[in-house]
Amino acid sequence: MKQLFPLLLLLALSFNYVNSQRPGGDRERGPIVITGKVLDKDDNLPLEYATLVLQSVSNPDQITGGITDIDGNFEVEAKAGKYNISIEYISYKTYKLPNQTLSESTDLGTIKLALDVAQLEAVEVVGEKTTVEVRLDKKIYNIGKDLTNSGATITDALNNVPSVDVDVEGAISLRGNENVRILINGKPSALAGFGSTDALTQLPADAIEKVEVITSPSARYDAEGTAGILNIILKKEKTLGFNGSVNTTIGYPVNSGISVNANLRTDKFNLFNTTGYSYRDAPGNAFFDNTYSSGSFDRIFEDREYSRLRKGFNTNLGLEYFLTEQSSLTGSVFYRTSKSEDGTENTNKRFISNSLNSETFRTEDENEDDDNYQFSLNYVNNLNDDGQKLTVDLQYSKGEETKTSIIEENNTIPNENLIVLENVFETELQNEYLVQADYVLPMGDAQFEIGYRGTFEEEVTDYRLDSLNQATGQFNINEDLTNKFTYNENVNALYTQYGNKIGKFSFLLGLRLENTQLKGQLDSEFDTSQLEEQLGVDVDVNFDKNYLGLFPTVNFIYELAENENISLGYNRRINRPRGWFINPFPSRSSRTNIFQGNPDLNPAFSNAFDLGYLKRWDKITLTSSIYYQRETDSFERVQEETGQTTTDGIEIIRTIPINLSTNNRIGAEAGMMYSPTKWLRLNSSFNFFRFSTEGIFNDVDYGTTNNSWFARFSSKVSLPEKIDWQTNAFYRGPSSTAQTENSGIFSLNLAFSKDIMKDNGTLSLNVSDLLNSRKRSSYTETEFFTSDSEFQWRSRQITMGFVYRFNQPKERNKGSRGNGGDEGGEEIEG
């Protein structure tokens, strides 16, 4: 940690210098200060983000103002003069004070805004709206009360967010690109599973407050993730007093759970906790039809059945202490533990010249224990009322995952002899430290920001495979597959960015400097000759690599009209290989297929452009964009023959990642939100992209061009008796790579809910994949084999849920109330 001291010292000196250079002329000229408070007329609750507008009477083009804080207060500096004053909040009647002469500091007192009756249709249903806010570098989707999230996980909820797709195996992609960075509350987190998305399948969807889709990230964010960033913001109640909710679910196949959210807030502190337990089974199936050009068999059929039992417990406990009116210190601890029992049954039929030669039955029973801890400390100091702000974050995360597997395969035709019996022992330890400091300096309509972030990760993988020697009856260690590999990734980054709004034009310019260190150490002897022969380069399994890079970001918005704008973004990003992509030891998913990491793998880099257009009408909102991305040294997983066969004569195929190609991706997306009446809300989105790859490896041309698309549609109908009905439909079109063609996939979700117990309780029924059609069908062809397959990760799921809110009535949601309608409004922030 000594290397952090000079960087933090540099940041502190920069902070002191910038603060000392703040112009003082305005204060010396004696600007006046306009203060006041904005409340809801009906319930006297403060309205956060209400806008105070000061328009000069003598020069109408001269406009200044500000927004209210969480308590509804505003404090704005302005020059003395004559102004038209207005206070605005979307879906409320505007409060106006025309021709006001302001010669000294003035307190406008408490101003109460009333709902605009003409717009009540869009805001009548209370804090259950999903809305979208459009900002310079991202779109923010406030999840609200999405009925299909009842009993669902965070992964399920992400599949309902525009631009995002979650495939049948849980892999998350953004605009069709799987290299997306997942953050929790703006930081890498154990909650997200250290870069894996497995943890997101165990956390409840109702813990989410909003999801930030960041396709053109500003310099504030880590440059990792060539597709962009998904930042998941978790709920933290802001209401005074003790309040919370209890959410229970039960479903078929087995899907039961309970989660409790509790919050105690006073003027001095805010104590919050979320605790949950889940018990789920996710049965699935797969079928493979494989043909071979060489080997003992011409054709092999595989029929697989999966059972995946997950038992998980998680809790997040935090305390925010308000040191002063401007500063606070928040400490939190997160713990997640899970136990998984996965079983796979594989019936294998082998043919020679279309005649059944033999049949085998393989079972694989895997038990996994997973424990994760995270400790976080956050300091926030709002240095003044102008928005000057300093934040410091410290975070430590630890994960330990232990897997044990028993693999047994027997003949069933023509005999019942044992083919193989194996025991697999795998332990993975992960430690991650994060240090971050950010300083924000407003300068009128402009804003300057500077910061540092350091992340230091270590991952240790210990893998052992024991095989039964049938001749001796003893288990022998398979030295070719047993290994211990330590992988370190250390990233130090400094960034600065500047944003301003000039009339209708807003921009945000940033530059990030990152130094990446990748280290690998193999604690065993390993013959690299075969891997070197395959890759065509010398391979060093003990390596230490450093990369220094600049990552510029540019974002513009131009307001064509009050409800219409265009935006343009550019960013450069990096894709760093994860540990399992680096580990040179082969690990098998079956006896005939192995995956082998590549220690010679280098990061990939991308340059991306995004052009967007937004238009709002009274009841319709249109969002659209076209985008282009070019990625160099991109990772590609290629399959090749190893020249080896199993004991019963089947060719063993190796999959290995390499820096194969240059990728070009161009696409367009559009979304429309329509609320024709107070009882009906419609939402649809469409994304089309063209993906081309150029690359040759071992004299094989992997170049390909692929067109694909996906679309989603949802409708929400408010029925009598406080019953809501929601339908979500999704379709992903066909796609292909150099070796594989994938068929289209369609899925349909259906949900109902009813409020009871004076609106303190809600009953829900959710059917996920109503038609049981969410299956991946693909066809792979190489020079040595073909594979026609169908895979279903999880079959149709039916879930019933009940949520009870205590001291937390279903108030109108202040954030969504200003945006009017289910995913139907935007807040444009310059």
Side-chain angles (χ1 to χ4, degrees):
M1 298 295 286
K2 292 181 179 179
Q3 56 184 316
L4 297 181
F5 179 75
L7 291 172
L8 292 175
L9 179 60
L10 174 62
L11 181 64
L13 292 174
S14 300
F15 162 76
N16 288 330
Y17 173 78
V18 172
N19 198 36
S20 66
Q21 299 300 311
R22 294 193 65 203
D26 285 347
R27 292 189 180 275
E28 293 172 358
R29 291 193 298 269
I32 62 174
V33 179
I34 311 302
T35 57
K37 188 180 188 71
V38 182
L39 301 178
D40 182 292
K41 184 178 180 180
D42 295 331
D43 52 26
N44 287 321
L45 290 175
L47 292 179
E48 185 181 7
Y49 299 122
T51 304
L52 170 69
V53 178
L54 300 174
Q55 181 185 40
S56 173
V57 174
S58 59
N59 184 8
D61 291 334
Q62 181 181 332
I63 299 175
T64 187
I67 61 174
T68 57
D69 61 18
I70 187 176
D71 298 315
N73 297 314
F74 61 83
E75 183 174 340
V76 176
E77 289 186 357
K79 296 179 180 179
K82 196 171 186 179
Y83 292 94
N84 291 320
I85 303 175
S86 62
I87 297 178
E88 304 172 355
Y89 199 62
I90 299 176
S91 300
Y92 280 74
K93 293 180 179 179
T94 299
Y95 177 86
K96 296 181 179 181
L97 289 172
N99 298 318
Q100 298 295 306
T101 300
L102 302 177
S103 57
E104 60 183 13
S105 295
T106 303
D107 184 1
L108 298 180
T110 299
I111 299 164
K112 297 184 178 182
L113 300 185
L115 281 169
D116 189 340
V117 177
Q119 299 186 44
L120 279 177
E121 290 185 357
V123 297
E124 177 184 0
V125 186
V126 292
E128 61 182 38
K129 303 292 171 63
T130 301
T131 63
V132 57
E133 303 170 19
V134 178
R135 301 193 178 178
L136 268 168
D137 58 343
K138 58 193 169 188
K139 292 176 182 167
I140 305 174
Y141 293 92
N142 300 289
I143 296 302
K145 183 186 175 186
D146 189 330
L147 306 186
T148 59
N149 287 341
S150 177
T153 65
I154 287 181
T155 300
D156 297 322
L158 290 177
N159 207 32
N160 292 326
V161 175
S163 304
V164 180
D165 179 29
V166 183
D167 71 12
V168 294
E169 294 181 89
I172 299 170
S173 62
L174 181 59
R175 291 174 167 175
N177 188 346
E178 291 186 5
N179 184 225
V180 55
R181 179 71 156 165
I182 307 293
L183 302 179
I184 304 291
N185 295 333
K187 296 181 285 293
S189 172
L191 279 72
F194 293 99
S196 167
T197 59
D198 292 343
L200 300 180
T201 65
Q202 302 175 33
L203 298 175
D206 58 11
I208 302 177
E209 178 179 345
K210 56 189 175 183
V211 176
E212 298 181 343
V213 178
I214 312 173
T215 53
S216 185
S218 67
R220 178 188 303 171
Y221 296 99
D222 181 8
E224 170 71 27
T226 55
I229 295 172
L230 291 178
N231 184 25
I232 301 169
I233 307 297
L234 302 182
K235 292 178 180 176
K236 187 170 68 172
E237 182 60 48
K238 298 178 181 179
T239 306
L240 289 174
F242 179 66
N243 53 75
S245 63
V246 180
N247 195 340
T248 61
T249 58
I250 187 170
Y252 176 83
V254 176
N255 178 20
S256 57
I258 181 171
S259 63
V260 179
N261 297 284
N263 194 92
L264 176 61
R265 185 183 180 99
T266 70
D267 292 331
K268 199 62 181 175
F269 67 86
N270 184 30
L271 179 66
F272 54 92
N273 174 253
T274 299
T275 299
Y277 175 80
S278 62
Y279 185 93
R280 294 186 175 95
D281 191 10
N285 58 84
F287 179 78
F288 299 83
D289 180 0
N290 303 322
T291 63
Y292 300 85
S293 58
S294 60
S296 301
F297 303 101
D298 299 323
R299 193 170 193 174
I300 298 177
F301 290 114
E302 291 186 48
D303 193 356
R304 300 182 188 178
E305 295 290 335
Y306 304 97
S307 62
R308 306 180 188 87
L309 184 61
R310 303 281 194 271
K311 294 175 283 187
F313 171 82
N314 64 84
T315 186
N316 184 38
L317 177 64
L319 175 66
E320 180 180 13
Y321 184 75
F322 305 109
L323 302 172
T324 66
E325 291 185 359
Q326 290 78 32
S327 63
S328 67
L329 186 67
T330 303
S332 65
V333 56
F334 169 79
Y335 172 68
R336 177 175 63 86
T337 182
S338 65
K339 296 182 180 296
S340 303
E341 299 174 11
D342 294 354
T344 303
E345 296 181 348
N346 186 351
T347 300
N348 197 304
K349 297 182 179 180
R350 308 165 183 188
F351 293 81
I352 299 177
S353 299
N354 295 323
S355 297
L356 180 64
N357 175 267
S358 61
E359 182 176 313
T360 64
F361 182 71
R362 172 189 171 94
T363 61
E364 180 175 351
D365 296 313
E366 178 183 280
N367 292 304
E368 177 181 328
D369 293 335
D370 197 358
D371 290 286
N372 288 275
Y373 308 83
Q374 180 172 290
F375 304 92
S376 303
L377 194 63
N378 168 257
Y379 171 73
V380 178
N381 191 336
N382 296 294
L383 300 170
N384 60 25
D385 294 333
D386 296 332
Q388 189 180 179
K389 186 177 182 180
L390 174 68
T391 60
V392 178
D393 289 279
L394 301 174
Q395 182 173 288
Y396 168 68
S397 303
K398 179 181 180 179
E400 181 175 351
E401 182 180 280
T402 303
K403 295 181 184 178
T404 58
S405 302
I406 301 175
I407 302 170
E408 181 177 356
E409 189 166 357
N410 292 273
N411 279 319
T412 55
I413 296 177
N415 54 55
E416 296 183 356
N417 295 338
L418 175 67
I419 298 176
V420 66
L421 180 59
E422 297 175 334
N423 294 325
V424 179
F425 307 92
E426 184 174 4
T427 300
E428 187 172 297
L429 301 176
Q430 294 175 309
N431 287 281
E432 180 180 292
Y433 298 87
L434 180 144
V435 180
Q436 181 173 335
D438 302 278
Y439 169 66
V440 178
L441 174 65
M443 296 179 289
D445 288 336
Q447 181 169 290
F448 171 78
E449 188 171 343
I450 189 171
Y452 163 80
R453 174 185 283 188
T455 55
F456 312 94
E457 304 176 43
E458 181 178 75
E459 179 181 309
V460 181
T461 304
D462 195 340
Y463 182 92
R464 193 182 91 191
L465 175 66
D466 294 348
S467 300
L468 178 67
N469 186 326
Q470 297 191 50
T472 64
Q474 301 293 320
F475 280 93
N476 299 326
I477 297 177
N478 187 324
E479 299 291 348
D480 292 333
L481 296 178
T482 298
N483 68 95
K484 183 177 182 180
F485 185 67
T486 302
Y487 179 64
N488 292 88
E489 178 184 294
N490 301 320
V491 181
N492 286 285
L494 288 169
Y495 81 91
T496 183
Q497 64 183 22
Y498 174 79
N500 202 348
K501 184 173 184 179
I502 304 173
K504 296 183 177 181
F505 179 73
S506 303
F507 64 87
L508 183 62
L509 309 177
L511 185 64
R512 189 177 185 91
L513 174 67
E514 287 195 352
N515 176 256
T516 301
Q517 181 188 38
L518 305 180
K519 295 173 60 178
Q521 180 178 348
L522 194 60
D523 294 334
S524 63
E525 296 296 327
F526 178 59
D527 184 6
T528 62
S529 58
Q530 187 184 44
L531 185 59
E532 290 175 346
E533 181 180 351
Q534 183 187 19
L535 296 175
V537 296
D538 293 335
V539 173
D540 186 2
V541 294
N542 298 306
F543 57 87
D544 188 345
K545 302 178 181 180
N546 270 276
Y547 305 88
L548 183 66
L550 283 173
F551 300 90
T553 62
V554 179
N555 289 285
F556 301 101
I557 282 184
Y558 182 74
E559 297 179 20
L560 300 172
E562 182 180 358
N563 295 321
E564 184 179 16
N565 69 68
I566 57 174
S567 60
L568 176 65
Y570 162 76
N571 63 87
R572 182 173 188 261
R573 300 188 63 74
I574 186 174
N575 182 11
R576 305 182 186 96
R578 303 302 300 174
W580 70 292
F581 263 40
I582 296 287
N583 191 341
F585 263 93
S587 61
R588 66 173 73 190
S589 57
S590 71
R591 291 191 305 122
T592 58
N593 291 277
I594 63 174
F595 179 90
Q596 186 167 11
N598 176 10
D600 196 51
L601 203 63
N602 295 317
F605 295 88
S606 73
N607 290 276
F609 299 85
D610 188 292
L611 178 64
Y613 172 75
L614 178 143
K615 173 70 173 176
R616 286 185 295 165
W617 294 268
D618 289 340
K619 297 182 178 181
I620 300 177
T621 298
L622 171 68
T623 57
S624 61
S625 64
I626 57 175
Y627 53 90
Y628 170 75
Q629 180 188 76
R630 180 177 177 84
E631 184 175 339
T632 56
D633 286 334
S634 59
F635 308 153
E636 186 81 18
R637 284 179 282 189
V638 298
Q639 292 180 310
E640 290 199 332
E641 290 178 300
T642 62
Q644 303 172 345
T645 61
T646 63
T647 55
D648 48 347
I650 302 176
E651 292 282 348
I652 297 177
I653 297 169
R654 175 192 286 114
T655 300
I656 189 168
I658 59 174
N659 293 110
L660 171 70
S661 61
T662 297
N663 293 335
N664 291 282
R665 181 186 299 269
I666 186 169
E669 64 179 354
M672 182 169 290
M673 291 150 280
Y674 180 40
S675 299
T677 70
K678 65 180 181 180
W679 55 267
L680 176 62
R681 291 175 294 278
L682 306 174
N683 177 21
S684 63
S685 62
F686 177 83
N687 192 308
F688 172 86
F689 55 89
R690 181 181 179 87
F691 179 79
S692 61
T693 302
E694 302 170 359
I696 298 176
F697 177 66
N698 285 350
D699 298 324
V700 177
D701 187 354
Y702 288 91
T704 185
T705 298
N706 171 42
N707 296 326
S708 188
W709 59 279
F710 61 88
R712 54 170 47 90
F713 171 82
S714 71
S715 66
K716 189 171 182 181
V717 181
S718 297
L719 302 173
E721 303 299 327
K722 297 182 179 180
I723 297 175
D724 286 332
W725 164 26
Q726 184 169 322
T727 304
N728 286 1
F730 175 83
Y731 179 77
R732 183 169 66 243
S735 62
S736 63
T737 65
Q739 295 181 323
T740 302
E741 295 181 358
N742 299 301
S743 302
I745 298 177
F746 175 77
S747 63
L748 183 68
N749 297 342
L750 197 65
F752 295 89
S753 76
K754 176 175 172 56
D755 293 330
I756 59 176
M757 305 172 68
K758 298 182 179 180
D759 292 346
N760 288 319
T762 302
L763 286 170
S764 63
L765 173 66
N766 179 16
V767 183
S768 177
D769 195 10
L770 177 68
L771 304 179
N772 205 35
S773 58
R774 192 170 175 80
K775 302 176 182 179
R776 184 189 64 203
S777 298
S778 61
Y779 179 76
T780 299
E781 182 175 5
T782 70
E783 293 181 354
F784 49 91
F785 85 103
T786 68
S787 178
D788 194 355
S789 64
E790 181 181 271
F791 178 76
Q792 183 178 30
W793 176 259
R794 183 180 64 184
S795 60
R796 175 175 47 232
Q797 184 86 49
I798 302 174
T799 306
M800 292 190 65
F802 172 69
V803 59
Y804 178 75
R805 294 168 289 274
F806 52 92
N807 297 330
Q808 194 183 61
K810 292 183 63 181
E811 302 165 350
R812 297 183 183 91
N813 184 294
K814 292 188 289 293
S816 64
R817 182 165 50 182
N819 289 300
D822 186 35
E823 298 196 8
E826 287 71 31
E827 178 176 319
I828 311 301
E829 184 172 285

